Amino acid sequence: MDILRAEHIRKNFGSQHVLTDLNFSVSKHSIFGLIGKNGSGKTTTMKMILGLIKPTSGSIYVCGEKVAYGDTPTNRHIGYLPDVPEFYGYMTAREYLKLCGEITGVRRSEIHKRTDELLCLVGLNGVNRKIHSYSRGMKQRLGIAQALLNEPELLICDEVTSALDPVGRKEILDLLSAAGKRATVIFSTHILSDVERICDQIGVLNNGQLELQGPLNEIKQDYRQEALQIETLTPDQAPVLAAHLKALPFISKAEVSGRTVNVQLNHYEENSLDIIRLLASESIPILKYERLEPTLENVFMDVIR
Ligand SMILES: Nc1ncnc2c1ncn2[C@@H]1O[C@H](COP(=O)(O)OP(=O)(O)OP(=O)(O)O)[C@@H](O)[C@H]1O
Ligand SMILES: [Mg+2]
């Protein structure tokens, strides 16, 4: 079942058309990566799902209920971590979560238990310092705990990893993976390797629409760039090999970089033997021969080109 559906969303800010016809759905229990360049409309999309921004036209449904602009009842299904979360720095994490629990109507008998559980989940149990002394990564982890306090079905995180160092990013990604076991997660970013690590579904926002969406592994296969990397024994052999490769009709590109030749070709499976035969007949010794896996980077560059 779809937990989220956006239908024909348009959003203009004055004369600027940020979203022109946004359509997408997110199925339950997925981790959905919303990818787009700076200014492509990721934050705007997330704020519309939360009823914080009014679409110029179109409708959004959360758990089958239509989102209303303003204090929308659909937010009871949602936990939200904004791109720049604000906390009360003079509190400890435990005090802050308790306050958030009280404000959002978590039952008193539940608050203590849930606070303990979430502090453990995000690795902040036993940290008794005030929040103002936390690192960025710790603040993001507290933000995730706060967003999960209401046991939401949908967790929306806006660029949670973008400002973090690799260690902090890994911690947050592991945490989002764990959160994905209890909630559907929508996660916006422009760091494609983060998406590849945890998302199973992606949507690429470009030109005001989701230009590409679906399961990450299928999209990578569909966009499979047939690419090879061949490393010759010595640098002088690489240009010779490249020249021979370029003469083959199924090879579209053979570029030399040091002793490596980067090759692009059509129909690898049908043609691979011809390449091996060429290497043998021209007596070109090789150190490495590798068919390259498609990366999300290739897919993304292809879509936004
Ligand atoms: N309240 C607003 N008033 C006017 N323009 C706005 C407003 N909010 C966003 N915009 C514009 O809409 C476009 C999309 O902004 P948005 O913040 O949604 O992009 P984004 O994909 O989240 O970008 P980033 O990667 O930088 O976070 C930008 O050009 C931005 O300047
Ligand atoms: Mg943004």
Side-chain angles (χ1 to χ4, degrees):
M1 183 201 144
D2 290 339
I3 194 155
L4 175 70
R5 215 169 67 244
E7 290 179 355
H8 301 296
I9 298 294
R10 268 195 323 125
K11 180 65 196 173
N12 305 335
F13 287 112
S15 61
Q16 189 190 0
H17 306 295
V18 175
L19 299 169
T20 50
D21 187 17
L22 180 67
N23 295 282
F24 73 107
S25 55
V26 177
S27 52
K28 242 181 171 163
H29 303 304
S30 55
I31 300 187
F32 183 95
L34 183 62
I35 309 169
K37 295 185 287 195
N38 290 131
S40 57
K42 302 180 294 293
T43 300
T44 303
T45 301
M46 291 183 156
K47 287 191 171 165
M48 287 192 298
I49 298 168
L50 291 151
L52 297 172
I53 290 181
K54 194 172 193 236
T56 305
S57 63
S59 308
I60 298 177
Y61 300 85
V62 172
C63 297
E65 287 173 53
K66 191 168 172 180
V67 173
Y69 173 57
D71 191 9
T72 176
T74 44
N75 281 351
R76 72 186 187 285
H77 302 295
I78 302 180
Y80 173 49
L81 180 57
D83 46 358
V84 188
E86 301 270 351
F87 302 102
Y88 296 121
Y90 59 87
M91 289 184 169
T92 65
R94 181 176 297 280
E95 286 165 350
Y96 180 73
L97 287 184
K98 186 164 168 274
L99 174 74
C100 292
E102 284 165 3
I103 291 172
T104 53
V106 177
R107 279 204 314 264
R108 278 190 161 276
S109 55
E110 278 281 300
I111 289 181
H112 190 68
K113 182 172 144 269
R114 219 177 281 172
T115 300
D116 275 347
E117 189 201 340
L118 287 169
L119 287 174
C120 271
L121 178 78
V122 301
L124 290 174
N125 51 328
V127 179
N128 295 317
R129 284 156 36 203
K130 309 271 189 223
I131 298 169
H132 66 72
S133 71
Y134 282 15
S135 67
R136 277 183 186 212
M138 290 167 85
K139 284 185 181 159
Q140 294 293 48
R141 284 189 273 142
L142 176 59
I144 291 177
Q146 182 251 308
L148 289 172
L149 203 56
N150 257 352
E151 302 190 315
E153 289 180 69
L154 180 61
L155 176 65
I156 297 182
C157 301
D158 195 1
E159 304 266 3
V160 266
T161 55
S162 300
L164 303 179
D165 64 24
V167 176
R169 274 177 38 214
K170 182 176 182 322
E171 285 172 359
I172 295 292
L173 292 173
D174 289 348
L175 203 47
L176 290 183
S177 264
K181 300 204 166 51
R182 38 174 102 196
T184 305
V185 178
I186 300 181
F187 157 69
S188 79
T189 188
H190 50 260
I191 305 175
L192 299 175
S193 57
D194 287 358
V195 173
E196 292 202 89
R197 267 154 77 172
I198 64 163
C199 295
D200 53 359
Q201 303 274 327
I202 63 160
V204 179
L205 196 52
N206 193 45
N207 290 329
Q209 313 176 6
L210 268 204
E211 291 206 340
L212 186 66
Q213 65 175 306
L216 176 59
N217 53 0
E218 282 178 22
I219 286 175
K220 279 166 66 169
Q221 284 311 315
D222 288 353
Y223 269 74
R224 189 171 185 116
Q225 293 257 331
E226 298 278 5
L228 277 181
Q229 219 169 47
I230 306 175
E231 200 176 314
T232 53
L233 192 62
T234 57
D236 55 308
Q237 290 156 340
V240 178
L241 172 60
H244 283 300
L245 287 168
K246 278 184 197 158
L248 295 173
F250 55 87
I251 297 224
S252 51
K253 213 166 152 195
E255 282 176 350
V256 178
S257 164
R259 57 185 179 196
T260 299
V261 184
N262 293 302
V263 186
Q264 269 184 20
L265 71 162
N266 303 318
H267 309 301
Y268 177 78
E269 261 127 57
E270 287 164 36
N271 295 314
S272 62
L273 276 181
D274 284 352
I275 299 174
I276 306 291
R277 278 190 205 105
L278 171 77
L279 292 170
S281 65
E282 298 299 326
S283 303
I284 299 175
I286 59 164
L287 277 179
K288 196 169 117 188
Y289 179 100
E290 187 182 8
R291 186 183 187 188
L292 299 180
E293 280 300 309
T295 64
L296 188 54
E297 185 92 33
N298 291 343
V299 175
F300 184 66
M301 295 314 280
D302 227 38
V303 172
I304 66 165
R305 190 172 291 146

